[in-house]
Every structure is written in structure tokens, then in C-alpha cells.
């Protein structure tokens, strides 16, 4: 999340050369993919080295006043420099390399700054833009917001720039590929307030009576939307955490509301941040920003936002803290290559909630979490994890809770299950992070690392689960006979993928109260298995540990004496049912493989009944016939 950065307007021009020396730039690949909706192609001509945001702010509204310094390096010959800045903010003046500059135009969310003498390739330029105003947006994705926390009676001004709203509070180039090498955020506030932001709090100065300036600096590369501030009546609750393999302990710095009952409500969960830092460092690699800090700023935002080194969040719910902390690896250190690849951010952060429960709370808690995630993801019968370019312009679609978060987490768990080697799985995660640290990555990049480390080709999995849509629908039938268990699995898809190749577990329950778990593989739409068993099986459970995202049902074949009706199968237009008991009423139901009811009727006692199904498309359906206490369920196939 974003922390409010306010700076007293007094940066010495002579510091420019020093600032550039702090921001040495190594080559970065510019995006040729989707950028922010207001992005100008002229922004591709330069690379951002450095932001210094210096603002006067308060906690009662979104009004800001100050300047932003931007250091750039030309990638092409430049005659016009373009930044994005909301029209609600008015520009007072612009300096180019410390000289006053009048030739600019601010309209349609862009600042076009005409340059008298062209900037040559490789040439560095420093711009300072003085501006003021207040954003008029009030929705969740508003860039800068002012809201009241009614639990603690605190007013907070804070930023949330993801995905395209950084320009609502500072001049910016909104390109995921162009991470700034470092950032300073100086925030001047009333002396009874505190202001949090990225990196290390280097100094608290007093620019004038009744004011304080909080001076933050981060030397790590940072994506534009992860720069932030938050201002309120805070107190600083900090502690240190030891990370294995790191000599110095890590500062965990929390700007929490100055309230008498804050510790009673939040301290226990705040302190668990240390456990999560140790866990994720062991699983993913050492905390990426180990030389600065990790922290939180409270704000009434209805959730959290993973601002680099200092998350902004509503409260310290264990799973919320785990999710936002995991983003420091997945989203901040390694950022999605485009918003089409939001899975790199949200899928892995969501799966980290599962990992936090698995390793710190126990497997049962983790399975409960995954069951809930599956229930939510199944609401999206269609829709891909990978977004189209059009979808990537819509924040609501980017952050679709069913797809980007819950299904995104589910498919990582399925990858782990398919690999069936936890040591290798976490090695893959650490290698991926190491390969793409301080940069960006796509879902395909992760797939390539997965293939390289595993030594196998998992492109089929990504075609099904990442680029495809929907999920499998399983029908499992079983019959215990003698020393064998006969299983049949029928599978189809809810969306544009007709068949999902996958392993799956079945748990077999025996008559002596024992059980066993088998790992099987679905290799085609219908698979049949004959399994030797030591005792008679009384029931079978499909996927007992919630490894697979699917809709499923299990049923037992009735023995021949309990057959209610005989019929020809497959059939064409008409299904002719011959009943053995001519004196009993029957309930008949026909559904498709997604569970949608096609026919549901009750028929009076008879020996014969004809179902006209000429209107159906060819395919597999489920026929259920109920007679008194008996139930018969069969797959039936309609031919063309």
C-alpha cells in the first residue's frame, strides 16, 4: 500500500549529481505489451532512474502540495518528455535540469514537456514538477483516498496506486517493466501526525513550527504502483526478527493507530509477522529487502495493499498479513510482466495463505482454506487466469477474486501435487524468484523455470489451467466385488477445455473401519480401474485432500438384482425404459455432466416408458431413476 510522502520544498539543486550517483542503472527491458490506459508511446523513449516525492499532506482530505523530482535516461533521441498526471492536479511550474521551463502542456492526464535541445541517447535528465490539488475520485481504485476508521475513530489519508492510479498523486511513468532504481518520499504533516512510506526512515525534520517531515528512502528497484504513503494519528510499534542466514536482524516497523485498545485487539497478530517472515524466507529465499525493513501502516481500506517494504492494511488478520507479506516476493521483488499476468502477483500471494496455515497452523486448517478457495473458484465456470489485453484494462477483471486469487492459488497447489516432490517444488519457487528478482516475469516465464528444474514438459498443464478456462467435472462410480474394487471416472469441462489431464487421489473406506489412499491418473474422458483390495469397500471418496479444483460426485453401482430399469445404451432420439417392478411409482431425472437438470418428472406405475430426447445434442448424460428406497444412476450416451 502507499504511504503518504510529504516533503518540505527545499531540495538543493546541487544534489542532482549526487542523486544520479545513487541510482546507477542497469539495462531494463521496456514493455511492448499492455501498459496503462493513458500511456503515451513517448514514454517508451526514456528509462526512469529515480523518484523523489516531496509533499505537504494531512489526514483530513486528499489535498496535496509539493513537487516530484524524476531522474531519467534517454533510450532514444527525445524532443518531448511525457509523464502521466491526473488533470485534477494543477502544475505550478516545471524545472528541467534545475532551470525553469515554460514549454509544457498538461491535459488528458498527460504532461508533455517540449525540450529546446534534443536529449541524446544515454543522456541523463532531472525534472522537477511542482503541483497541487486533490483527486476527485472516491472509488476503491482511486490512487489517493481519505477515509475514517470507525473502530478506532481515526482519519487516514493513504494511497493505493495499483493498477493505473499512481498519476492521481505524483507525475509518473506507469510501465511495469520500468522499475525506478530508488525512491525518496518526504512527507510533511502536522506535528501530531505520522507519515509512513517505503524503505528506511532516514530523518524526521522540523521545517516550520507545528510541522514534521518524515524522510523515507529506499535503494531497491521499485515498480511505480508500489510507491506509497499513509498519514494518520499513529504510534510506532517496532520489533526485530532474526532471519536464518542473515547476520543482522530485520526491523518490523508498524505504524498503528494511537488508541488505548489497539494492542488488545491487534498485538498478537502483529507479532505473528515475525513467524511469517521466517517461514517465507525459508520457503522462498531471504526476505528481498533485508537491508531496509518490513512494516505496516493501518488504513480503513477494506483489505490490504503490498506496498514495497511497508504494507497498508485494514487490520492484522493472520491471513491478510500473510498474503501481503508474500507479495514482497511475488509482486514486489518479482512483478507481473503485464497485468495480463496478474497471477504472478495474486495467485502466489493467495497460495501463501495456504502455506502459512499448512506450516504454522496444521494441515487440517490448510485443507479447510483450500476447500473454501475451491468453492469460490467454482463460481467462475469460464474465464482464464491469463487475461486478454481488453480484460487487462479493467481493474475489476484484473483483481477478479474467483480467478486471479482463488483459482490462481488452486492451480499452484495442483502443480505442486502433479510434481509430487516438495523439495523440488520449493526449489522451483526460489529459482524463479532468483532469476527474475528486481524485474518482471510472466506466467510463461514461470512455466519455463518449472520445466527446467523438473526436467519435464508441463506446457499441457498451463494450456489447461493457465491459458484455458473452466475446470473439470468428475463423475466417479465404484463397485466392490470380491477382492477387487472397480472404479470408473468420467470427466468433462465447464468451459472451453473439454478434458483436463490430471492425477487424483481416491480414499477407500473398508468395512472394518480401515482406509487407504490411492493416486490414479485421468488420461482420457473415461477411465476404468480394477484395484486389488484386502477387504470389502463400503465407500470411496474422490480427492480427500482437495488437491484438484473440480466439481465431482461419487456413486456406487447397484448390483444387478437392484436394477430398476433396462434400456438400450447408447441411444439415438428416444430412450426406452423397461421397468422390472410394474407396481411402483418412479422418479426420473436426466442431467448434463455439469449437473444442470434437463428432465425431472414422476411417472405412475407402468412396465414401459419412452423418453423423447431428440432435442438433445449428442454426448454423455446422467440418468437417475428412483423407486421407493432404491436409486439407480447411470451414464447414458446419445448418438447423432
Amino acid at each position: 500500500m502507499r504511504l503518504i510522502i510529504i516533503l518540505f520544498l527545499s531540495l538543493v539543486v546541487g544534489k542532482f549529481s549526487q542523486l544520479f550517483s545513487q541510482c546507477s542503472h542497469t539495462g531494463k527491458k521496456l514493455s511492448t505489451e499492455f501498459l496503462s490506459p493513458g500511456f503515451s508511446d513517448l514514454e517508451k523513449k526514456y528509462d526512469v532512474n529515480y523518484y523523489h516525492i516531496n509533499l505537504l499532506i494531512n489526514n483530513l482530505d486528499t489535498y496535496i502540495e509539493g513537487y516530484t523530482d524524476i531522474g531519467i535516461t534517454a533510450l532514444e533521441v527525445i524532443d518531448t518528455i511525457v509523464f502521466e498526471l491526473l488533470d485534477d492536479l494543477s502544475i505550478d511550474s516545471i524545472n528541467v535540469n534545475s532551470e525553469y521551463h515554460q514549454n509544457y502542456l498538461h491535459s488528458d492526464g498527460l504532461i508533455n514537456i517540449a525540450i529546446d535541445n534534443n536529449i541524446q541517447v544515454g543522456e541523463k535528465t532531472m525534472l522537477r514538477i511542482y503541483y497541487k490539488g486533490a483527486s476527485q475520485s472516491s472509488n476503491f481504485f482511486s490512487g489517493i483516498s481519505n477515509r475514517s476508521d470507525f473502530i478506532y475513530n481515526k482519519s487516514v489519508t493513504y494511497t493505493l496506486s495499483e493498477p493505473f492510479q499512481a498519476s492521481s498523486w505524483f507525475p509518473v511513468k506507469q510501465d511495469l517493466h520500468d522499475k525506478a532504481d530508488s525512491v525518496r518520499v518526504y512527507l510533511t504533516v502536522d506535528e501530531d501526525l505520522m507519515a509512513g512510506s517505503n524503505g528506511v526512515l532516514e530523518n524526521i525534520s522540523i521545517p516550520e513550527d507545528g510541522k514534521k517531515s518524515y524522510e523515507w528512502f529506499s535503494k531497491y528497484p521499485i515498480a511505480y504502483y508500489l510507491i506509497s504513503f499513509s498519514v494518520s494519528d499513529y504510534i510506532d510499534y517496532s520489533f526485530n526478527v532474526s532471519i536464518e542466514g542473515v547476520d543482522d536482524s530485520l526491523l518490523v516497523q508498524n505504524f498503528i493507530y494511537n488508541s488505548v485498545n489497539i494492542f488488545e485487539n491487534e498485538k498478537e497478530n502483529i507479532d505473528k509477522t515475525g513467524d511469517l517472515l521466517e517461514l517465507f524466507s525459508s520457503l522462498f529465499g531471504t526476505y528481498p529487502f533485508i537491508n531496509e525493513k518490513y512494516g505496516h501502516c493501518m488504513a480503513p481500506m477494506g483489505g490490504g495493499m503490498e506496498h514495497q517494504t511497508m504494507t497498508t492494511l485494514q487490520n492484522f488478520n493472520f491471513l491478510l498479513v500473510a498474503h501481503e507479506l508474500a507479495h514482497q516476493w511475488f509482486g514486489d521483488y518479482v512483478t507481473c510482466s503485464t497485468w495480463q499476468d496478474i497471477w504472478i502477483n495474486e495467485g502466489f500471494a493467495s497460495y501463501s495463505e495456504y502455506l502459512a496455515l499448512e506450516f504454522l497452523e496444521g494441515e487440517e486448517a490448510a485443507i479447510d482454506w483450500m476447500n473454501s478457495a475451491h468453492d469460490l473458484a467454482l463460481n467462475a465456470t469460464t474465464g482464464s487466469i491469463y487475461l486478454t489485453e481488453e480484460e487487462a484494462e479493467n481493474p475489476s477483471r484484473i483483481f477478479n477474486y474467483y480467478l486471479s486469487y482463488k483459482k490462481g492459488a488452486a492451480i499452484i497447489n495442483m502443480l505442486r501435487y502433479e510434481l509430487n516432490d516438495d523439495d523440488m517444488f520449493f526449489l522451483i519457487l526460489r529459482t524463479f524468484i532468483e532469476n527474475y528478482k528486481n524485474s518482471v516475469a510472466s506466467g510463461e516465464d514461470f512455466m519455463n523455470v518449472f520445466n527446467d528444474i523438473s526436467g519435464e514438459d508441463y506446457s499441457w498443464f498451463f494450456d489447461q489451467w493457465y491459458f484455458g478456462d473452466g475446470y473439470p467435472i468428475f463423475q466417479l462410480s465404484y463397485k466392490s466385488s470380491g477382492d477387487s474394487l472397480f472404479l470408473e471416472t468420467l470427466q468433462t469441462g465447464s468451459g472451453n477445455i473439454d478434458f483436463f489431464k490430471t492425477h487424483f487421489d481416491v480414499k477407500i473406506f473398508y468395512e472394518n473401519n480401515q482406509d487407504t489412499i490411492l493416486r490414479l491418473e485421468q488420461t482420457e474422458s473415461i477411465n476404468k480401474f480394477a484395484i486389488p483390495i484386502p477387504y470389502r469397500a463400503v465407500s470411496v471418496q474422490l480427492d480427500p485432500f482437495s488437491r484438484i479444483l473440480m466439481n465431482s460426485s461419487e456413486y456406487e453401482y447397484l448390483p444387478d438384482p437392484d436394477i430398476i430399469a433396462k434400456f438400450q445404451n447408447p441411444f439415438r432420439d428416444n430412450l426406452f425404459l423397461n421397468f422390472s417392478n410394474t407396481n411402483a411409482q418412479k422418479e426420473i431425472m436426466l442431467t448434463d455432466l455439469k449437473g444442470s437438470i434437463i428432465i425431472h418428472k414422476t411417472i405412475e406405475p407402468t412396465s414401459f416408458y419412452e423418453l423423447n430426447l431428440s432435442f438433445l445434442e449428442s454426448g454423455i448424460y446422467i440418468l437417475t431413476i428412483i423407486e421407493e428406497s432404491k436409486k439407480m444412476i447411470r451414464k447414458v450416451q446419445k448418438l447423432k
Side-chain angles (χ1 to χ4, degrees):
M1 302 239 130
R2 337 290 180 204
L3 305 183
I4 297 183
I5 306 173
I6 298 195
L7 191 60
F8 184 65
L9 310 180
S10 60
L11 181 63
V12 178
V13 172
K15 283 180 138 182
F16 285 168
S17 60
Q18 176 188 354
L19 295 176
F20 274 121
S21 69
Q22 294 170 337
C23 309
S24 60
H25 177 69
T26 56
K28 287 182 271 190
K29 177 184 176 185
L30 285 177
S31 174
T32 58
E33 302 286 340
F34 175 76
L35 300 159
S36 71
F39 190 87
S40 166
D41 283 343
L42 293 176
E43 294 178 71
K44 296 179 181 179
K45 292 189 174 185
Y46 65 84
D47 185 59
V48 172
N49 305 123
Y50 172 76
Y51 288 108
H52 181 181
I53 304 168
N54 185 342
L55 297 175
L56 175 69
I57 52 179
N58 66 80
N59 68 326
L60 300 178
D61 56 44
T62 61
Y63 180 82
I64 56 178
E65 181 177 340
Y67 63 81
T68 293
D69 291 326
I70 310 173
I72 68 170
T73 300
L75 301 174
E76 303 177 31
V77 175
I78 296 176
D79 59 10
T80 302
I81 302 173
V82 177
F83 300 113
E84 297 166 66
L85 185 68
L86 193 70
D87 291 348
D88 292 343
L89 302 175
S90 61
I91 295 176
D92 289 332
S93 63
I94 293 177
N95 291 349
V96 178
N97 290 333
S98 76
E99 294 184 0
Y100 180 70
H101 195 84
Q102 294 185 2
N103 196 3
Y104 68 88
L105 175 66
H106 181 206
S107 66
D108 297 325
L110 295 175
I111 311 170
N112 288 267
I113 306 169
I115 302 300
D116 296 332
N117 298 312
N118 288 352
I119 302 172
Q120 301 303 310
V121 175
E123 185 177 346
K124 297 181 185 297
T125 302
M126 179 67 78
L127 300 101
R128 174 177 289 188
I129 301 173
Y130 290 93
Y131 59 98
K132 61 188 175 184
S135 169
Q136 302 305 308
S137 176
S138 60
N139 61 33
F140 185 82
F141 299 102
S142 60
I144 182 170
S145 300
N146 177 265
R147 291 188 173 91
S148 293
D149 188 299
F150 296 108
I151 296 176
Y152 295 102
N153 193 29
K154 299 295 179 182
S155 182
V156 188
T157 301
Y158 62 91
T159 60
L160 196 166
S161 299
E162 189 181 30
F164 315 121
Q165 283 71 41
S167 62
S168 69
W169 66 281
F170 72 99
V172 62
K173 175 184 177 180
Q174 296 190 119
D175 179 357
L176 293 169
H177 286 241
D178 194 3
K179 291 188 175 185
D181 298 310
S182 63
V183 61
R184 288 187 184 274
V185 180
Y186 288 7
L187 306 164
T188 301
V189 297
D190 291 343
E191 61 183 351
D192 59 342
L193 302 176
M194 297 176 65
S197 188
N198 312 93
V200 174
L201 182 58
E202 291 190 317
N203 186 42
I204 301 176
S205 63
I206 303 176
E208 60 181 275
D209 288 345
K211 299 289 185 183
K212 285 184 179 179
S213 184
Y214 288 79
E215 301 174 0
W216 297 89
F217 174 63
S218 178
K219 62 182 179 181
Y220 288 99
I222 186 169
Y224 68 88
Y225 73 92
L226 297 171
I227 303 170
S228 71
F229 73 75
S230 186
V231 173
S232 189
D233 177 17
Y234 290 131
I235 56 175
D236 183 347
Y237 170 52
S238 294
F239 55 90
N240 288 79
V241 173
S242 295
I243 304 294
E244 185 176 354
V246 178
D247 292 335
D248 296 329
S249 60
L250 175 68
L251 175 67
V252 180
Q253 188 171 27
N254 304 284
F255 278 21
I256 60 177
Y257 298 136
N258 183 12
S259 173
V260 293
N261 57 351
I262 190 75
F263 284 107
E264 178 182 349
N265 294 341
E266 303 289 358
K267 184 179 184 302
E268 181 179 355
N269 277 336
I270 296 174
D271 292 344
K272 289 180 181 178
T273 306
D275 298 331
L276 290 165
L277 276 161
E278 294 179 50
L279 173 64
F280 291 161
S281 291
S282 69
L283 297 179
F284 309 146
T286 302
Y287 172 68
F289 313 109
I290 194 69
N291 294 322
E292 293 185 353
K293 73 167 189 308
Y294 183 63
H296 302 98
C297 280
M298 294 187 74
M301 64 188 315
M305 175 63 206
E306 64 276 11
H307 297 126
Q308 191 162 303
T309 73
M310 201 155 196
T311 283
T312 311
L313 42 60
Q314 173 90 23
N315 55 48
F316 290 88
N317 173 275
F318 176 74
L319 293 180
L320 177 60
V321 172
H323 180 105
E324 306 303 339
L325 173 58
H327 269 307
Q328 302 300 307
W329 287 264
F330 298 101
D332 296 10
Y333 202 33
V334 179
T335 304
C336 58
S337 181
T338 73
W339 294 111
Q340 295 173 260
D341 290 288
I342 188 61
W343 178 66
I344 295 297
N345 294 24
E346 297 302 347
F348 284 89
S350 297
Y351 187 59
S352 297
E353 298 176 41
Y354 175 91
L355 294 175
L357 291 171
E358 178 184 358
F359 286 93
L360 298 178
E361 301 290 336
E363 185 179 45
E364 184 176 345
I367 292 174
D368 286 344
W369 186 95
M370 191 58 70
N371 280 329
S372 176
H374 285 181
D375 288 344
L376 291 167
L378 291 174
N379 285 295
T381 55
T382 60
S384 173
I385 299 296
Y386 183 72
L387 279 65
T388 66
E389 288 193 10
E390 182 179 0
E391 288 173 329
E393 297 182 13
N394 180 357
S396 296
R397 175 61 182 90
I398 295 172
F399 302 106
N400 182 294
Y401 195 60
Y402 301 146
L403 292 171
S404 299
Y405 291 73
K406 298 306 182 181
K407 185 177 180 181
I411 70 171
I412 297 169
N413 196 46
M414 286 186 281
L415 269 172
R416 180 183 176 187
Y417 172 69
E418 283 293 337
L419 188 64
N420 202 27
D421 184 334
D422 269 7
D423 289 342
M424 184 178 290
F425 174 76
F426 289 108
L427 173 62
I428 289 170
L429 297 190
R430 290 190 293 272
T431 302
F432 171 69
I433 291 167
E434 180 64 24
N435 287 358
Y436 293 95
K437 64 184 180 182
N438 295 319
S439 186
V440 297
S442 66
E444 190 172 5
D445 291 328
F446 181 79
M447 179 187 71
N448 291 335
V449 173
F450 203 95
N451 290 343
D452 288 345
I453 299 297
S454 69
E456 298 184 28
D457 183 1
Y458 281 85
S459 58
W460 59 268
F461 181 95
F462 284 81
D463 288 341
Q464 291 176 180
W465 288 108
Y466 188 68
F467 297 107
D469 73 3
Y471 47 80
I473 300 167
F474 267 87
Q475 298 282 342
L476 181 149
S477 56
Y478 63 92
K479 180 178 180 181
S480 183
S481 178
D483 60 357
S484 296
L485 177 68
F486 298 95
L487 297 176
E488 182 175 309
T489 53
L490 168 68
Q491 190 224 96
T492 187
S494 72
N496 65 8
I497 302 298
D498 294 329
F499 169 71
F500 290 79
K501 173 185 173 182
T502 184
H503 285 86
F504 61 93
D505 291 338
V506 291
K507 188 173 185 179
I508 304 170
F509 297 90
Y510 300 115
E511 60 184 353
N512 61 354
N513 294 323
Q514 295 188 38
D515 59 68
T516 189
I517 295 174
L518 296 178
R519 180 183 172 100
L520 304 173
E521 185 176 13
Q522 191 81 10
T523 58
E524 51 188 293
S525 296
I526 299 177
N527 280 122
K528 296 182 179 182
F529 308 89
I531 302 166
I533 52 176
Y535 316 104
R536 190 179 72 85
V538 294
S539 65
V540 172
Q541 181 183 1
L542 180 63
D543 192 31
F545 301 114
S546 294
R547 308 295 190 200
I548 313 301
L549 176 64
M550 61 178 171
N551 258 332
S552 63
S553 61
E554 306 96 351
Y555 58 89
E556 182 179 9
Y557 283 130
L558 291 174
D560 288 346
D562 289 336
I563 289 178
I564 299 173
K566 293 182 179 181
F567 48 86
Q568 184 176 353
N569 189 22
F571 66 96
R572 294 192 181 275
D573 287 339
N574 297 289
L575 184 62
F576 300 98
L577 302 175
N578 291 285
F579 299 113
S580 56
N581 185 350
T582 61
N583 298 316
Q585 192 180 65
K586 314 289 191 301
E587 182 182 353
I588 297 175
M589 183 165 63
L590 186 73
T591 66
D592 63 21
L593 293 178
K594 299 177 183 180
S596 299
I597 297 175
I598 300 167
I599 291 175
H600 189 187
K601 61 174 58 181
T602 299
I603 62 174
E604 296 303 317
T606 182
S607 61
F608 174 81
Y609 191 80
E610 178 182 354
L611 281 174
N612 183 349
L613 300 176
S614 58
F615 62 91
L616 286 181
E617 295 182 359
S618 59
I620 304 294
Y621 298 88
I622 304 297
L623 175 67
T624 302
I625 305 176
I626 300 173
E627 177 188 281
E628 297 176 338
S629 61
K630 298 178 181 179
K631 178 188 288 188
M632 184 179 80
I633 305 175
R634 292 290 186 271
K635 292 187 297 293
V636 294
Q637 182 178 9
K638 183 180 186 298
L639 302 176
K640 292 181 180 179

